[in-house]
Amino acid sequence: MDNDRPKSFPQGEQLPVPYELASLHAHQEYSLVQVGGISIGGSKPAVVAGPCAIENMKQALSIAWEVKRLGADLFRGGVFKPRTSPYSFQGLGLHGLHILGEVRLETGLNTVSEIMSIAQADMMMKYVDVLQVGSRNIQNFELLRCVGQMRKPVVLKRGFATTIEEWLLAAEYILSEGNDKVILCERGIRTFEPYTRNTLDLSAVALLKTLTHLPVMVDPSHATGLRELVIPMARSAVAAGADALMVEVHTNPETALSDGRQSLYPKQFEQLMQDINLIAPLVRNKRDSRNESVGVSPALLSA
Amino acid sequence: MDNDRPKSFPQGEQLPVPYELASLHAHQEYSLVQVGGISIGGSKPAVVAGPCAIENMKQALSIAWEVKRLGADLFRGGVFKPRTSPYSFQGLGLHGLHILGEVRLETGLNTVSEIMSIAQADMMMKYVDVLQVGSRNIQNFELLRCVGQMRKPVVLKRGFATTIEEWLLAAEYILSEGNDKVILCERGIRTFEPYTRNTLDLSAVALLKTLTHLPVMVDPSHATGLRELVIPMARSAVAAGADALMVEVHTNPETALSDGRQSLYPKQFEQLMQDINLIAPLVRNKRDSRNESVGVSPALLSA
Amino acid sequence: MDNDRPKSFPQGEQLPVPYELASLHAHQEYSLVQVGGISIGGSKPAVVAGPCAIENMKQALSIAWEVKRLGADLFRGGVFKPRTSPYSFQGLGLHGLHILGEVRLETGLNTVSEIMSIAQADMMMKYVDVLQVGSRNIQNFELLRCVGQMRKPVVLKRGFATTIEEWLLAAEYILSEGNDKVILCERGIRTFEPYTRNTLDLSAVALLKTLTHLPVMVDPSHATGLRELVIPMARSAVAAGADALMVEVHTNPETALSDGRQSLYPKQFEQLMQDINLIAPLVRNKRDSRNESVGVSPALLSA
Amino acid sequence: MDNDRPKSFPQGEQLPVPYELASLHAHQEYSLVQVGGISIGGSKPAVVAGPCAIENMKQALSIAWEVKRLGADLFRGGVFKPRTSPYSFQGLGLHGLHILGEVRLETGLNTVSEIMSIAQADMMMKYVDVLQVGSRNIQNFELLRCVGQMRKPVVLKRGFATTIEEWLLAAEYILSEGNDKVILCERGIRTFEPYTRNTLDLSAVALLKTLTHLPVMVDPSHATGLRELVIPMARSAVAAGADALMVEVHTNPETALSDGRQSLYPKQFEQLMQDINLIAPLVRNKRDSRNESVGVSPALLSA
């Protein structure tokens, strides 16, 4: 096992950075990831919304129509659920994928769902437009290579205790297989603070915009675990420069099979969309700020 | 020593919350802290700017005039500096206070500076308008009681590893001495991530607005340690609902005696002011969002 | 994704504990895991030793003969290496397994090696006597189920930021597939402290002996990352009640392909064996202390 | 405020280490701290025992006689209690000091108690033989200088999130005032793990023995918060090379005013004394291991 000691910024002779394909320096411009007609990484933040888990056709369709009506770009819903306990609800599996397919057919929304193993790759290819690699698999290198070979867009969630450098190197596994459609998703890190589920690290978002050309997404739902904090943290994420958001929305959170406590009501999601659509245009043109940032080498950052 | 195990949200019979004077529930409306003609906690974010340390009269005055011209509300500058090593520059002390007094006289800016011990209280009363209690003193209870008795506005910085509950209880020490002019300042917590100096916890800002009536300030300079991140994190903080910002600005960061790496150039500070003045009006009326929040008891938050 | 907020001890009506098969309460006596003629979990601590990575036949055999001569019970050596970067040495793979097979044949030492994916299962069955699941795969649930079905003894390493409860639930995945030969291996957690590679959590070892019947191993090499600390931490682990140790030993650490900095010289390993053989008999009879512990329910622990 | 980013080991030109007076390199032999007839830092671990807080004369005397009978070297008991909440029991203050004086007079045990402020210095001089600086005051530099000038032995507890380097620099504040009688006390750091109160960092103990000449103490009571873990962690601490232990003992923990859950019954303390007296002689001669360590420069440690 190689060294898991968190690394400082590379300095002097240690340059270039170890994540060559992911680095902004090598690429020189920000990447756009296209999903259907949606661009992730452009001037308007893309919004992925939906329930934590697909529960049944009716639930999925009703939420999908709601979030579409309110402006969501993509529909999310878990069908293979990573569960801490072997005795918890593990997701609907293939049946859930069929539901995702139906949602796409009926609403026209492209779909995002988590892939947990190589064995699911063939099934996912058919029904899912964006593959999500979850926090628990951030260093499941075989799965990273697999999604690299699948060539579909990938949302790569940061692990509970993954450094920014390790996260970029996990992206590098996918990129090095020839798939450059990687979206990095900040979803909170584990700290000593018990009031929130995790600690959302928005500095990482701003820092990533100086280090990598890949689009950056933020998931305020899993980060905070508290519905009350999702709207302000969504605003905050966009203000920090996030290219996309992933939020949990449920028409009936009280009965949700998982994570109801952090799911927005549709009315709250509407508010969120209004808020971020006001803020996004005010975030200074990223291409300009990139030009400033490109001049800042990691070596200088650590000086 | 009482139990330092981080506590979950109080539930059921454990209510009411342990920070009675600080709680929003007890107070029912957000507090305004007045400093000279400046209101902290109102509709416009207040901005505290200046160098990390006061170095000499010329440096202090030139920075003060610059930040005043660009819209800062208060001038900050350390004269008693908490230093990890006994061999590092410890600040100008009383001479630095004289400089702060001169800055106030010439520019009309009220001053913010850190108090490290009771022995400094008399000196501080004369030259400093807002007392800062630093992260290292978050549980220096004698100092908390002292600033409580001084009745001046206090900026209470969160400690490196202080939970939100412990922070509110530290505020409670000040409040219980009869001083209700407390401003909570988030400045980053210590985590495993080595790229940033600390991890800025903006969820704490949004959560505090549901728990306490006290104004909340954010210091993106100490939180990140990197100049490049200060502007995006300032935007983010305002979008999260922060009532005030504290930022380090230096006319010549390369020669700064401390923290030059995180100090903004005046031109960057100008950009920051433009950015936050655009975003602040878009953050939904806090009084409205409070009304929603007040209905959410901590017991429900942890359900 | 289910809730990743660290959980407090279960209280009152939340009992029984969620890791039913792993719990000491349900099992009532400590389990022994047998590997060849070696018992893990008995009165004498078992010692697993060898290089971080298998490099070639000569290196593997020379280290194996050395550690056997000095009293090691099992030989460890990685052939599939989880690497943070896709560009780092990834292990010898199948060729490495052949070397492990040869080491076993010549020295008679049973072998321990990491399995990273289901695709490696068939190969591993033939050459490896104890499967190791690495920290990065602690919540790779598919792999956990796979090693559950393989029915070989499993060393389950704690993740970088895995709580004790999550770790026991990961073990529960393996146990629930019918494989009860699980050994929990503490290897350090990620904290803010930069001097050591990780922070070795020996309280977890003592606490596990009150919560589970599974044997507990400690890896002081990965935990500290510093050769100087391996001997004292090995002593400490045994004194805390560890049933087994895993240590990296190399005949030529300076040229090791990975982790040379934390590998012991054979002479140091000899000292380690002497030290722990003196301390182990003094650790009060575990069966006795268990009897005390069994009376302590998790509910009381959190009172 | 100077940079609070955790520092890596000093390398190359950054040597010498910043804690010159505390460094083993500069001092070349381990220091002994004498308290009455007791040596801390010698071949036998010194044991400090007593209640968390002094409650009344009868409680203090009965516990003191018990721990003396069972082999404790020094008596601990808090009279000024740092409390997270202003509404909690704050200790008996001067009356508690009188009790400590009486305990010393009657039992002959020297006393250890926490000093929280300079205002307490005169009172403490009379009744307390060893001053304790608590975790919350690890960077209360004024208090550090004060105990430096008092010239009494000082137990310096590590802060919740204090790095080893910051801790040694806090000791340096005391040493630089001319007081070389400093004992470093590891008491657990704050991490994500919720089952234990803190995470006891025993690697720090072994590492300190390579970095500093100052004696190292371990407090397993505050570190774990669970009585069941105190004996195994005390054994572990001695096996790691600790020179001293501080443990909470109470004749009636159920009624203790604070921290009853982690206090040992006298019968358990007796077991602890037996255990450590068996293990201590087996820990290889520290002077020998020092000689090995002295050859290892911090620069090499980080290579």
Side-chain angles (χ1 to χ4, degrees):
Chain A
M1 199 180 303
D2 64 338
N3 204 318
D4 52 5
R5 182 200 295 267
K7 310 258 182 330
S8 308
F9 263 119
Q11 296 197 43
E13 76 282 13
Q14 292 168 279
L15 284 173
V17 293
Y19 34 86
E20 191 182 329
L21 298 175
S23 81
L24 180 59
H25 187 73
H27 206 264
Q28 289 297 328
E29 24 183 287
Y30 289 123
S31 294
L32 290 183
V33 174
Q34 302 285 347
V35 187
I38 307 295
S39 285
I40 300 174
S43 54
K44 185 180 165 301
V47 176
V48 184
C52 180
I54 297 295
E55 298 168 19
N56 54 58
M57 183 72 79
K58 188 169 162 225
Q59 171 245 20
L61 277 171
S62 71
I63 297 174
W65 280 118
E66 273 296 270
V67 299
K68 181 177 183 176
R69 181 177 68 84
L70 299 169
D73 299 296
L74 297 161
F75 179 71
R76 64 150 287 152
V79 300
F80 299 108
K81 303 297 300 172
R83 303 307 298 257
T84 303
S85 164
Y87 309 124
S88 303
F89 170 60
Q90 309 275 320
L92 294 185
L94 182 57
H95 176 51
L97 287 176
H98 293 157
I99 295 174
L100 283 181
E102 189 65 20
V103 165
R104 179 171 55 184
L105 193 68
E106 292 208 18
T107 65
L109 286 172
N110 279 306
T111 57
V112 183
S113 200
E114 180 166 352
I115 181 170
M116 286 176 61
S117 81
I118 292 176
Q120 297 157 359
D122 285 344
M123 287 184 276
M124 301 295 276
M125 283 304 285
K126 192 159 167 198
Y127 299 105
V128 171
D129 302 297
V130 179
L131 302 162
Q132 178 177 314
V133 174
S135 293
R136 293 166 177 80
N137 284 315
I138 185 71
Q139 293 192 316
N140 180 340
F141 301 117
E142 186 193 38
L143 186 64
L144 296 177
R145 291 197 194 277
C146 169
V147 298
Q149 290 154 12
M150 289 171 76
R151 303 293 168 94
K152 290 228 178 198
V154 179
V155 168
L156 180 63
K157 289 200 150 188
R158 185 181 189 177
F160 298 165
T162 302
T163 64
I164 293 170
E165 182 164 318
E166 289 169 340
W167 191 12
L168 287 167
L169 283 163
E172 194 82 4
Y173 267 90
I174 302 172
L175 295 164
S176 68
E177 295 291 330
N179 184 352
D180 59 1
K181 297 188 282 296
V182 178
I183 301 149
L184 300 165
C185 183
E186 162 64 27
R187 45 77 71 209
I189 56 174
R190 199 161 260 188
T191 71
F192 63 84
E193 173 57 56
Y195 269 20
T196 47
R197 179 169 167 172
N198 294 284
T199 296
L200 184 61
D201 181 8
L202 289 178
S203 305
V205 173
L207 190 53
L208 283 170
K209 298 309 291 179
T210 74
L211 297 174
T212 182
H213 59 90
L214 300 172
V216 181
M217 181 182 281
V218 170
D219 175 349
S221 306
H222 283 89
T224 63
L226 295 169
R227 183 183 301 133
E228 292 75 5
L229 304 187
V230 172
I231 297 177
M233 287 304 101
R235 286 194 308 249
S236 244
V238 169
D243 300 296
L245 293 174
M246 177 179 280
V247 290
E248 291 189 359
V249 179
H250 203 288
T251 46
N252 200 357
E254 293 74 15
T255 66
L257 288 185
S258 67
D259 283 348
R261 185 62 189 83
Q262 72 198 29
S263 294
L264 293 185
Y265 292 93
K267 190 178 142 79
Q268 292 177 304
F269 180 62
E270 185 173 11
Q271 182 68 59
L272 179 149
M273 292 300 294
Q274 287 175 17
D275 282 13
I276 64 166
N277 286 333
L278 286 170
I279 289 175
L282 304 178
V283 177
R284 279 180 311 131
N285 187 294
K286 288 173 196 160
R287 217 140 290 259
D288 288 353
S289 66
R290 181 184 69 87
N291 286 337
E292 289 171 28
S293 304
V294 169
V296 180
S297 78
L300 288 179
L301 286 177
S302 64
Chain B
M1 202 179 303
D2 66 337
N3 204 318
D4 51 5
R5 182 200 295 268
K7 309 259 183 327
S8 308
F9 262 120
Q11 296 198 41
E13 77 281 14
Q14 292 168 276
L15 286 172
V17 295
Y19 34 85
E20 192 182 329
L21 298 175
S23 82
L24 179 59
H25 186 74
H27 207 263
Q28 290 297 329
E29 24 183 288
Y30 290 123
S31 294
L32 290 183
V33 173
Q34 303 285 349
V35 187
I38 307 294
S39 284
I40 300 176
S43 54
K44 185 181 166 300
V47 177
V48 183
C52 181
I54 297 296
E55 299 168 17
N56 54 58
M57 184 71 80
K58 187 169 165 227
Q59 171 245 22
L61 275 171
S62 72
I63 298 174
W65 280 117
E66 271 297 89
V67 298
K68 180 177 185 179
R69 181 177 69 83
L70 299 169
D73 298 296
L74 296 161
F75 179 71
R76 64 150 285 153
V79 301
F80 299 107
K81 304 296 298 171
R83 302 308 298 256
T84 303
S85 163
Y87 310 124
S88 303
F89 170 59
Q90 309 275 323
L92 295 185
L94 182 57
H95 175 51
L97 287 175
H98 293 157
I99 295 175
L100 283 181
E102 188 66 19
V103 165
R104 182 172 53 185
L105 194 67
E106 293 208 17
T107 66
L109 286 172
N110 278 307
T111 57
V112 183
S113 199
E114 180 166 351
I115 180 169
M116 287 176 61
S117 82
I118 292 176
Q120 297 158 359
D122 285 343
M123 287 184 276
M124 300 295 275
M125 282 304 285
K126 189 157 168 199
Y127 298 105
V128 171
D129 302 296
V130 180
L131 301 162
Q132 178 177 312
V133 174
S135 294
R136 293 166 177 80
N137 284 316
I138 184 71
Q139 293 192 317
N140 180 340
F141 300 116
E142 184 191 40
L143 185 63
L144 296 177
R145 290 197 194 278
C146 169
V147 298
Q149 289 154 11
M150 289 170 77
R151 303 292 168 94
K152 290 230 178 196
V154 178
V155 168
L156 180 63
K157 290 201 150 190
R158 186 181 188 178
F160 299 166
T162 303
T163 64
I164 292 169
E165 183 165 319
E166 290 170 340
W167 191 11
L168 286 167
L169 283 164
E172 194 81 4
Y173 267 92
I174 302 172
L175 295 164
S176 69
E177 295 291 331
N179 183 352
D180 59 2
K181 296 187 283 296
V182 177
I183 302 150
L184 299 165
C185 183
E186 161 64 28
R187 45 76 73 208
I189 56 174
R190 199 162 259 189
T191 71
F192 62 85
E193 173 57 55
Y195 270 21
T196 46
R197 178 167 167 173
N198 294 284
T199 296
L200 182 62
D201 182 9
L202 289 178
S203 305
V205 174
L207 190 53
L208 282 170
K209 298 308 291 180
T210 74
L211 298 174
T212 182
H213 59 91
L214 300 172
V216 181
M217 182 182 280
V218 171
D219 174 350
S221 305
H222 283 88
T224 62
L226 295 170
R227 183 183 299 133
E228 293 76 4
L229 304 187
V230 173
I231 296 178
M233 287 304 101
R235 287 194 307 249
S236 243
V238 170
D243 300 296
L245 293 173
M246 177 179 279
V247 292
E248 291 189 1
V249 179
H250 202 288
T251 45
N252 200 357
E254 293 74 16
T255 64
L257 289 185
S258 70
D259 284 347
R261 185 61 190 83
Q262 72 197 27
S263 294
L264 294 183
Y265 292 93
K267 188 178 143 78
Q268 292 177 305
F269 180 62
E270 183 172 13
Q271 183 67 60
L272 179 149
M273 291 300 292
Q274 286 175 17
D275 283 13
I276 65 165
N277 286 332
L278 286 169
I279 288 175
L282 304 177
V283 178
R284 279 180 310 131
N285 187 292
K286 287 172 196 160
R287 218 139 291 259
D288 288 353
S289 66
R290 182 185 68 85
N291 286 337
E292 289 170 28
S293 304
V294 168
V296 181
S297 78
L300 287 179
L301 285 177
S302 65
Chain C
M1 200 179 302
D2 64 339
N3 204 319
D4 51 4
R5 182 200 295 268
K7 310 255 181 332
S8 308
F9 262 118
Q11 297 198 42
E13 77 283 12
Q14 292 168 277
L15 285 173
V17 293
Y19 35 85
E20 192 182 328
L21 299 175
S23 82
L24 179 59
H25 187 73
H27 207 265
Q28 290 296 330
E29 23 183 287
Y30 289 123
S31 294
L32 290 183
V33 173
Q34 302 285 348
V35 186
I38 307 296
S39 284
I40 300 175
S43 54
K44 185 179 166 301
V47 176
V48 184
C52 181
I54 297 296
E55 298 168 17
N56 54 58
M57 183 72 79
K58 188 169 164 225
Q59 171 244 22
L61 276 171
S62 71
I63 297 174
W65 280 117
E66 271 298 90
V67 298
K68 181 179 182 174
R69 181 177 70 83
L70 299 170
D73 298 296
L74 296 162
F75 179 71
R76 63 150 285 153
V79 301
F80 299 108
K81 303 297 299 171
R83 302 309 297 257
T84 302
S85 165
Y87 310 124
S88 303
F89 170 60
Q90 308 276 321
L92 294 185
L94 182 57
H95 176 52
L97 286 176
H98 292 158
I99 294 174
L100 282 181
E102 189 65 21
V103 165
R104 180 172 54 184
L105 193 69
E106 292 208 18
T107 65
L109 285 172
N110 278 307
T111 58
V112 184
S113 200
E114 179 166 352
I115 181 169
M116 285 177 61
S117 82
I118 293 176
Q120 297 157 359
D122 286 343
M123 287 185 276
M124 300 295 277
M125 282 305 285
K126 191 160 169 195
Y127 298 105
V128 171
D129 302 297
V130 179
L131 302 163
Q132 178 177 313
V133 174
S135 293
R136 292 165 178 81
N137 284 316
I138 184 70
Q139 292 193 318
N140 181 339
F141 301 116
E142 186 191 40
L143 185 65
L144 296 177
R145 290 198 194 277
C146 169
V147 298
Q149 289 154 11
M150 289 171 76
R151 303 293 168 91
K152 291 228 176 197
V154 178
V155 168
L156 180 63
K157 290 200 151 190
R158 185 181 189 177
F160 298 165
T162 303
T163 65
I164 293 170
E165 183 165 317
E166 289 170 340
W167 190 12
L168 287 167
L169 282 164
E172 194 81 3
Y173 267 90
I174 303 173
L175 295 164
S176 68
E177 295 291 330
N179 183 351
D180 59 1
K181 297 188 282 296
V182 178
I183 302 149
L184 300 165
C185 182
E186 162 64 27
R187 45 77 73 208
I189 56 174
R190 199 162 260 187
T191 71
F192 62 85
E193 173 57 57
Y195 270 20
T196 47
R197 178 169 167 172
N198 294 285
T199 296
L200 183 62
D201 181 8
L202 290 177
S203 305
V205 174
L207 190 53
L208 283 170
K209 299 308 290 179
T210 74
L211 298 175
T212 182
H213 60 91
L214 300 172
V216 181
M217 180 182 282
V218 170
D219 174 349
S221 306
H222 283 89
T224 62
L226 295 170
R227 183 182 300 131
E228 293 74 6
L229 304 187
V230 173
I231 296 177
M233 286 304 101
R235 288 194 307 249
S236 243
V238 169
D243 299 296
L245 293 174
M246 177 179 280
V247 291
E248 291 189 1
V249 179
H250 203 288
T251 45
N252 200 357
E254 293 75 14
T255 66
L257 288 185
S258 69
D259 283 348
R261 185 61 190 81
Q262 72 198 28
S263 294
L264 293 184
Y265 292 92
K267 189 179 144 78
Q268 291 176 305
F269 181 62
E270 184 173 12
Q271 182 68 59
L272 178 150
M273 291 300 292
Q274 287 175 18
D275 282 13
I276 65 166
N277 287 333
L278 285 169
I279 288 176
L282 303 177
V283 177
R284 279 179 311 132
N285 188 294
K286 287 172 198 162
R287 217 141 289 258
D288 288 354
S289 67
R290 182 185 66 87
N291 286 338
E292 289 170 28
S293 303
V294 169
V296 180
S297 78
L300 287 179
L301 286 176
S302 64
Chain D
M1 201 179 301
D2 65 337
N3 205 318
D4 51 5
R5 183 199 295 268
K7 310 259 182 327
S8 308
F9 263 120
Q11 297 197 42
E13 77 280 16
Q14 292 168 278
L15 285 172
V17 293
Y19 34 86
E20 192 180 329
L21 299 175
S23 81
L24 179 58
H25 187 73
H27 207 263
Q28 290 295 330
E29 24 182 287
Y30 289 122
S31 294
L32 290 183
V33 173
Q34 303 285 348
V35 187
I38 307 294
S39 284
I40 300 176
S43 54
K44 185 179 166 302
V47 177
V48 184
C52 181
I54 297 297
E55 299 168 17
N56 54 59
M57 183 71 79
K58 189 170 162 225
Q59 171 245 22
L61 276 171
S62 71
I63 297 174
W65 281 117
E66 271 298 89
V67 299
K68 181 176 184 178
R69 181 178 68 84
L70 299 169
D73 298 295
L74 296 161
F75 179 71
R76 64 150 285 153
V79 300
F80 299 108
K81 304 298 298 173
R83 301 309 297 257
T84 304
S85 164
Y87 310 125
S88 302
F89 170 60
Q90 309 275 323
L92 295 185
L94 182 58
H95 176 52
L97 287 176
H98 292 157
I99 295 175
L100 282 180
E102 188 66 20
V103 165
R104 180 172 54 185
L105 193 68
E106 292 208 18
T107 65
L109 286 172
N110 278 306
T111 58
V112 183
S113 200
E114 180 166 352
I115 181 170
M116 286 177 62
S117 82
I118 292 177
Q120 297 157 0
D122 286 343
M123 288 184 277
M124 300 295 276
M125 283 305 285
K126 188 159 169 198
Y127 299 104
V128 171
D129 302 296
V130 180
L131 301 163
Q132 178 177 313
V133 174
S135 294
R136 292 166 178 80
N137 284 315
I138 184 72
Q139 293 193 317
N140 180 340
F141 301 117
E142 185 192 40
L143 186 64
L144 296 176
R145 291 197 194 278
C146 169
V147 298
Q149 289 154 11
M150 289 170 77
R151 304 291 168 95
K152 291 231 177 195
V154 178
V155 168
L156 180 63
K157 290 202 150 188
R158 185 182 188 178
F160 299 166
T162 303
T163 64
I164 293 170
E165 182 165 319
E166 289 170 340
W167 191 11
L168 287 167
L169 282 164
E172 194 82 3
Y173 266 91
I174 302 172
L175 295 163
S176 68
E177 294 290 330
N179 184 351
D180 60 0
K181 296 188 282 297
V182 177
I183 301 150
L184 300 165
C185 183
E186 162 64 27
R187 45 78 72 209
I189 56 174
R190 198 161 260 188
T191 70
F192 63 85
E193 173 57 55
Y195 270 21
T196 46
R197 178 169 167 171
N198 294 284
T199 296
L200 183 61
D201 181 9
L202 289 178
S203 305
V205 174
L207 190 53
L208 283 170
K209 299 309 291 181
T210 74
L211 298 174
T212 182
H213 59 91
L214 300 172
V216 181
M217 180 182 282
V218 171
D219 174 348
S221 306
H222 283 88
T224 63
L226 295 170
R227 183 183 299 133
E228 293 75 5
L229 304 187
V230 172
I231 296 178
M233 287 305 99
R235 290 195 304 251
S236 244
V238 169
D243 300 297
L245 293 174
M246 176 179 281
V247 290
E248 291 189 0
V249 179
H250 202 289
T251 46
N252 200 358
E254 293 74 15
T255 65
L257 288 185
S258 70
D259 283 348
R261 185 60 191 84
Q262 71 198 28
S263 294
L264 294 184
Y265 293 93
K267 189 177 143 78
Q268 292 176 304
F269 180 61
E270 185 172 13
Q271 183 67 59
L272 179 150
M273 291 300 294
Q274 286 175 18
D275 282 13
I276 64 165
N277 285 334
L278 285 170
I279 288 176
L282 304 177
V283 177
R284 279 181 310 132
N285 187 294
K286 287 174 198 159
R287 217 138 292 257
D288 287 354
S289 67
R290 182 184 68 86
N291 286 337
E292 289 170 28
S293 304
V294 168
V296 181
S297 78
L300 287 178
L301 286 177
S302 65

